Amino acid sequence: MAIVSTTCSSSSCFPTLTLSSRNLRKHNRSRGIAFASLSSETSLGVKITEGNGNLPKVVLKSVDGSEAEIYLFGGCVTSWKAPNGKDLLFVRPDAVFNGQKPISGGIPHCFPQFGPGPMQQHGFARNMNWSVADSENVDGNPILTLELKDGPYSRAMWDFGFQALYKVILKSNSLSTVLTVTNTDNRPFSFSTALHTYFRASIAGVSVKGLKGCKTLNKDPDPKNPLQGIENRDAITFPGFVDCVYLDAPNDVQLDNGLGDTISIRNTNWSDAVLWNPNTTMEACYRDFVCVENAKIGEVQLEPKQSWIAEQHLSIS
């Protein structure tokens, strides 16, 4: 059992924990977890510890040797290592871990707004503290569920009650996530969202397959007036600046990261895809990553008590 209390600041809440774990028949599970001290193991293969900038993070380790790291600030997965120790995600060298700015890299959340709009760029979910709602281990595979709820910080930008649950599932050669957004308000609301995934790459050798035939919104050269088109390439490469939305994208895209890995990016209910590489506008690191993002560009409308669920499954062969 876990006993939880919460301390809140003006922008976010910091939970505290008294924890003991329990074993179930086929898996080990702990619910309602927060923390009193770092470096506590909540379930087999799920450990809360201190990360960069003294920010709390959760480390997942599978019995097969794969690992993942998730910061509670932003609910951001910052590392996914295969059993051979190779990290398939990328965090930019200019990333700031101060609990004030979003973490630039890994898998940041864009919610409840993708891109620019009436609130801050990409919304507020990547700039708030998520809490640990649940952890378990099934057949040696750790599973973590994070939770984000509305508060004064979010309501100052978007005055609705909501709950977001984010489940992260680590297996030997895959990292899966399930995002569930529930309207807890008494009014309907709408939102757009994305997982802004940064993959480690050698950009000169990167290609993305599976998007041929999609309608495109090309934000180069003018992001405010994207050019509409149709993707006619079997394999998309990145010889220069790329910022392009693919509407009604297929649920399986293949990424060759130029480093010898082919990553399958499968999804359920993420209707669109986004490819981004800043090229020389980010001279220090553009050669070392590519963003292949699952997105919901068109707004989702939820009535009170309704939920929207989307899944992402990353795997290497």
Side-chain angles (χ1 to χ4, degrees):
M1 297 291 292
I3 302 170
V4 183
S5 60
T6 304
T7 303
C8 292
S9 67
S10 59
S11 63
S12 53
C13 292
F14 300 86
T16 56
L17 169 74
T18 303
L19 177 70
S20 61
S21 58
R22 58 181 180 176
N23 293 316
L24 300 181
R25 239 180 300 175
K26 290 190 177 180
H27 59 267
N28 168 280
R29 177 193 291 268
S30 296
R31 291 184 181 273
I33 302 158
F35 25 168
S37 60
L38 297 178
S39 297
S40 60
E41 189 163 24
T42 64
S43 295
L44 184 65
V46 181
K47 184 178 181 180
I48 299 171
T49 186
E50 190 175 89
N52 293 331
N54 300 319
L55 294 178
K57 70 177 180 180
V58 183
V59 178
L60 307 183
K61 293 185 179 182
S62 78
V63 292
D64 299 301
S66 58
E67 295 186 16
E69 296 182 359
I70 306 99
Y71 278 78
L72 297 190
F73 181 74
C76 187
V77 180
T78 55
S79 177
W80 168 39
K81 291 181 181 177
N84 63 8
K86 193 174 191 179
D87 202 332
L88 298 160
L89 299 181
F90 181 79
V91 174
R92 285 168 24 193
D94 62 343
V96 177
F97 292 82
N98 63 2
Q100 301 297 321
K101 294 182 63 177
I103 296 171
S104 300
I107 311 179
H109 289 275
C110 302
F111 175 85
Q113 172 187 289
F114 175 75
M119 67 186 79
Q120 64 190 30
Q121 175 86 355
H122 292 321
F124 50 70
R126 63 184 188 149
N127 207 32
M128 293 181 68
N129 286 290
W130 295 56
S131 61
V132 179
D134 192 16
S135 72
E136 57 185 309
N137 188 294
V138 180
D139 299 327
N141 301 310
I143 301 172
L144 173 73
T145 302
L146 300 183
E147 180 182 44
L148 182 68
K149 292 183 177 181
D150 58 284
Y153 179 75
S154 68
R155 282 185 172 270
M157 289 175 269
W158 194 63
D159 192 18
F160 294 102
F162 73 93
Q163 179 200 51
L165 293 174
Y166 188 53
K167 180 181 286 188
V168 181
I169 305 152
L170 178 68
K171 295 186 178 180
S172 174
N173 291 305
S174 69
L175 180 76
S176 302
T177 62
V178 182
L179 177 64
T180 303
V181 177
T182 300
N183 183 346
T184 61
D185 209 292
N186 57 10
R187 301 163 293 158
F189 63 62
S190 59
F191 65 91
S192 58
T193 182
L195 296 178
H196 199 315
T197 309
Y198 288 70
F199 291 98
R200 189 174 300 274
S202 175
I203 198 64
V206 167
S207 65
V208 176
K209 295 180 179 180
L211 294 170
K212 185 176 182 179
C214 289
K215 295 179 181 179
T216 58
L217 298 175
N218 193 342
K219 297 183 180 182
D220 181 33
D222 184 0
K224 294 182 179 179
N225 296 287
L227 299 173
Q228 298 184 38
I230 301 292
E231 181 55 71
N232 58 18
R233 293 169 290 178
D234 290 315
I236 300 163
T237 55
F238 295 77
F241 179 88
V242 172
D243 188 359
C244 191
V245 173
Y246 292 79
L247 300 175
D248 299 318
N251 59 13
D252 193 353
V253 171
Q254 302 294 317
L255 166 66
D256 181 340
N257 65 8
L259 298 171
D261 307 296
T262 299
I263 301 171
S264 171
I265 305 168
R266 293 192 287 112
N267 83 85
T268 301
N269 215 27
W270 290 105
S271 58
D272 311 300
V274 180
L275 302 184
W276 180 64
N277 181 270
N279 201 250
T280 53
T281 62
M282 202 170 288
E283 179 67 37
C285 62
Y286 80 89
R287 300 173 185 85
D288 302 322
F289 78 91
V290 65
C291 285
V292 183
E293 310 169 32
N294 278 316
K296 191 75 173 178
I297 303 299
E299 290 199 334
V300 178
Q301 178 153 327
L302 289 182
E303 297 295 324
K305 299 183 181 180
Q306 283 187 336
S307 296
W308 176 85
I309 302 172
E311 302 180 17
Q312 173 172 274
H313 182 75
L314 310 177
S315 62
I316 53 173
S317 54

